[in-house]
Amino acid sequence: MYIQSAHADTFARDNLPPTDCQPEFLLAGYHYPQRLNAGVELCDRLLDQGHGERIALAGNGRRRTYQELTEWTNRLAHVLVEDLGVVPGQRVLIRSANNPAMVACWLAATKAGAVVVNTMPMLRTKELCQVIDKAEISLALCDTRLLDELVECQQHSPVLKRVVGFDGTANHDAELDRLALGKPASFKAVDTAADDVALLGFTSGTTGSPKATMHFHRDLLVIADGYAKEVLQVTPEDVFVGSPPLAFTFGLGGLAIFPLRFGATAVLLEHASPPNMMDIIREYQATVVFTAPTAYRAMLSAPTRHEDLSSLRVAVSAGETLPAPIYHDWIKQTGTPILDGIGATEMLHIFITNRLDDHRPHCTGKPVAGYEARIVDNDMQDVPPGTVGKLAVRGPTGCRYLADKRQHKYVKTGWNITGDAFYQDEEGYFHFAARNDDMIVSAGYNIAGPEVEAALLAHPAVKECAVIGAPSQERGQIVEAFVVLNDGFQQDEECQQMLQDFVKQTIAPYKYPRSLRFIEALPKTSTGKVQRFRLSQEHYPSADSPGSDMNSSNTNSTDTNSTDTNV
């Protein structure tokens, strides 16, 4: 079934799930040669297409052309092979914030045939050790500003043999950079198979060991040739900016793979706060932005928003589902489409989305070209339109967990079961209801928390909010809302009653929050996704907490690494 592998280290292919446990892959419309190296296709190939003098990456005060990026990554690839002994198939961990050096290390390792594991700065020693031990990683490349945790991990891990620092500030003053100085600017990349594993994307939850999703060289191109080409309609004139970490597949796609596939520019921010993103959008005249709904809301409140956001042609909402009030406000104030979509680390990126010429509020859209989606019940039978059920999807990418029994839960009869509750309307559009484990069941009613949140956000008093299911002896669960107020509103019973009444008037009364708490700030991930499970754990530690998928893009998922998109 598989093409002849170029991997001398066969760990990755040896630990793929059995083929009968994998989803059905639909590759019609996606044609790649049997021998394919994604590092070459996203770097050297752009020189062949005449993009050598175009800016590929910008960040930390420096801009790199595609010619410079190609030569830089080739020198680093020489170091990996000649000085660090990397062999095809070996796992290489990269630890860094979003900066050009991280992208260069990823591309270099991919050219050298390694299987890359990107990790974000927020991971601590224990979490890093879990990743390293599961993927049997012997070499780690790390921004020198973040070395301490990895060095400590090396002392505890039986498999991590070497940690090599690189300079993420663009000064090139670290061990890896010095080793690369005298290396040739050309490199013969490893002739990997299209279905050799190129990337391990780790997903996170509130409990349990991390899951590693396995993605082929061809998969990295599929997400660009599908979503980025069909939906975003990327051209070399585009400039990308955003907040998702490159360590998440959603961020890697949106801030590296998509621009590099089409000769566009990626502007990388280590600290992607809304004010920082607005500065960068204005300075670089960015055209495509990826960030979370909360960040879009913050940008809309800035007094200079019209000037700062005028260059954008499309905004992609990530981290969690896009509330209708934010959708409407964004369209009204910027005139720019804002596209909600869903993806998952298991699927690599977004697979259902709105389009530039077909977008609507409280709607996730339709499948990306090559993907199919259904709404099913527990027996994998289709449910009628308008009925909430489980989202099942298949297409050119899909779930392959690294040696993990949970593969059987995610893949059913050839379909990926993403863990999201959705419904499909009569026109074929898909609508997010909740994560399957986040549906609130109160006195027999199924209530989707995001719908209640959207109702609350429509009130001018509400700056941010999160809804959970709180345990109740009488009703099983009740809807409980945590609300951050805008300036000028008081945290008192009158305001509480006003918001509860407002929800009753906006959606079905049984969905209103019977409990409403005021809070100064909501717990969030580094990408801006609200961590509802932390609210549950803090206030109801003895109750079962809903799970969290950090890479969800409706993120997404990915976590969303589902993208309802840690896309």
Side-chain angles (χ1 to χ4, degrees):
M1 176 182 177
Y2 295 115
I3 303 167
Q4 179 65 41
S5 177
H7 286 181
D9 182 333
T10 63
F11 173 87
R13 186 164 283 191
D14 292 345
N15 284 284
L16 283 165
T19 54
D20 61 354
C21 296
Q22 296 186 31
E24 180 179 355
F25 291 96
L26 309 179
L27 293 170
Y30 294 92
H31 305 290
Y32 303 104
Q34 288 196 346
R35 314 310 302 184
L36 182 73
N37 188 300
V40 173
E41 299 301 320
L42 298 173
C43 196
D44 308 61
R45 193 69 65 220
L46 280 301
L47 304 188
D48 301 338
Q49 297 170 3
H51 297 302
E53 298 308 309
R54 300 190 71 89
I55 301 298
L57 301 176
N60 284 343
R62 188 162 181 177
R63 306 182 187 204
R64 298 275 189 172
T65 66
Y66 277 93
Q67 182 71 46
E68 291 170 329
L69 179 63
T70 299
E71 294 178 358
W72 184 14
T73 56
N74 286 342
R75 290 189 174 97
L76 291 174
H78 275 289
V79 173
L80 293 175
V81 173
E82 298 164 8
D83 298 87
L84 303 180
V86 170
V87 300
Q90 180 178 340
R91 279 75 56 218
V92 174
L93 182 143
I94 302 174
R95 174 170 164 83
S96 177
N98 286 12
N99 57 51
M102 181 180 188
V103 175
C105 288
W106 164 63
L107 289 170
T110 304
K111 289 184 182 183
V115 177
V116 179
V117 181
N118 292 316
T119 61
M120 62 179 181
M122 292 183 67
L123 293 187
R124 295 298 175 245
T125 300
K126 179 182 177 181
E127 297 159 315
L128 287 167
C129 285
Q130 287 180 321
V131 169
I132 287 166
D133 292 344
K134 186 174 184 69
E136 297 187 12
I137 296 168
S138 57
L139 171 66
L141 308 179
C142 183
D143 188 319
T144 51
R145 296 169 292 175
L146 302 168
L147 276 171
D148 291 348
E149 302 276 1
L150 262 183
V151 170
E152 183 179 353
C153 190
Q154 186 179 9
Q155 297 170 356
H156 298 287
S157 172
V159 295
L160 183 59
K161 304 301 181 186
R162 187 164 184 182
V163 177
V164 179
F166 63 84
D167 192 339
T169 68
N171 292 325
H172 298 289
D173 186 22
E175 181 181 3
L176 185 67
D177 307 282
R178 290 190 289 270
L179 287 171
L181 283 177
K183 298 297 184 183
S186 60
F187 177 79
K188 183 174 175 54
V190 173
D191 192 26
T192 45
D195 60 4
D196 272 333
V197 177
L199 180 75
L200 296 182
F202 276 80
T203 69
S204 299
T206 57
T207 60
S209 61
K211 296 170 286 189
T213 63
M214 312 177 77
H215 302 290
F216 296 164
H217 282 264
R218 74 163 184 242
D219 298 338
L220 303 184
L221 304 186
V222 161
I223 61 172
D225 297 342
Y227 176 78
K229 183 177 182 180
E230 177 212 348
V231 178
L232 299 183
Q233 301 174 19
V234 180
T235 74
E237 305 302 321
D238 277 313
V239 178
F240 286 69
V241 67
S243 61
L246 292 167
F248 289 171
T249 59
F250 184 71
L252 187 68
L255 301 178
I257 294 174
F258 294 172
L260 297 180
R261 179 63 166 164
F262 299 103
T265 299
V267 183
L268 300 172
L269 286 166
E270 292 190 345
H271 305 289
S273 65
N276 287 347
M277 279 195 291
M278 293 183 75
D279 289 343
I280 291 297
I281 290 168
R282 182 181 63 251
E283 178 182 352
Y284 286 88
Q285 291 296 286
T287 58
V288 184
V289 60
F290 284 74
T291 192
T294 51
Y296 286 119
R297 195 177 184 95
M299 286 192 280
L300 287 175
S301 67
T304 59
R305 60 189 178 279
H306 297 294
E307 174 189 350
D308 292 343
L309 303 175
S310 61
S311 63
L312 292 174
R313 67 174 185 84
V314 60
V316 179
S317 180
E320 56 190 349
T321 191
L322 176 65
I326 298 179
Y327 169 90
H328 287 300
D329 288 347
W330 181 267
I331 299 290
K332 180 180 179 180
Q333 295 191 41
T334 70
T336 301
I338 184 168
L339 306 184
D340 198 7
I342 180 172
T345 307
E346 288 84 355
M347 303 296 295
L348 189 55
H349 216 271
I350 292 174
F351 51 83
I352 297 177
T353 182
N354 285 269
R355 266 70 174 179
L356 292 173
D357 58 354
D358 184 14
H359 53 87
R360 52 187 68 185
H362 192 56
C363 177
T364 311
K366 293 183 177 180
V368 172
Y371 290 89
E372 298 175 354
R374 305 160 54 204
I375 308 301
V376 300
D377 59 20
N378 290 333
D379 298 320
M380 290 299 293
Q381 299 300 306
D382 292 342
V383 301
T387 303
V388 174
K390 295 181 177 181
L391 179 64
V393 63
R394 64 184 181 185
T397 62
C399 179
R400 310 179 195 93
Y401 285 140
L402 171 72
D404 200 310
K405 293 180 180 179
R406 288 169 287 189
Q407 179 79 16
H408 297 278
K409 181 178 180 181
Y410 201 94
V411 177
K412 302 283 188 183
T413 64
W415 292 80
N416 301 275
I417 309 301
T418 66
D420 299 282
F422 264 74
Y423 68 91
Q424 187 176 17
D425 65 26
E426 294 284 357
E427 297 179 86
Y429 292 89
F430 288 84
H431 300 260
F432 177 75
R435 291 289 295 172
N436 284 335
D437 47 11
D438 284 350
M439 286 293 288
I440 301 167
V441 182
S442 182
Y445 290 101
N446 289 333
I447 302 169
E451 183 182 12
V452 183
E453 292 172 358
L456 283 165
L457 285 168
H459 194 284
V462 179
K463 181 178 182 179
E464 293 180 323
C465 65
V467 166
I468 65 170
S472 166
Q473 288 187 348
E474 295 79 17
R475 307 178 70 86
Q477 286 182 307
I478 60 170
V479 176
E480 181 167 59
F482 293 81
V483 174
V484 180
L485 292 176
N486 279 312
D487 293 340
F489 293 89
Q490 298 297 318
Q491 297 183 9
D492 54 27
E493 291 185 8
E494 182 179 353
C495 184
Q496 182 184 60
Q497 188 65 53
M498 175 181 68
L499 293 176
Q500 289 173 319
D501 291 343
F502 180 79
V503 173
K504 289 179 183 179
Q505 297 163 9
T506 305
I507 56 178
Y510 70 85
K511 299 176 182 179
Y512 90 99
R514 292 175 179 271
S515 173
L516 193 151
R517 300 174 186 245
F518 296 113
I519 191 171
E520 295 301 321
L522 297 176
K524 298 176 185 176
T525 68
S526 60
T527 60
K529 181 181 177 183
V530 176
Q531 295 176 308
R532 293 165 185 81
F533 72 93
R534 286 179 55 188
L535 295 171
S536 298
Q537 289 177 337
E538 178 181 350
H539 294 278
Y540 306 102
S542 61
D544 292 332
S545 300
S548 163
D549 197 337
M550 289 173 57
N551 211 17
S552 176
S553 78
N554 208 359
T555 43
N556 274 342
S557 248
T558 106
D559 326 10
T560 265
N561 70 156
S562 193
T563 250
D564 201 85
T565 44
N566 131 350
V567 150

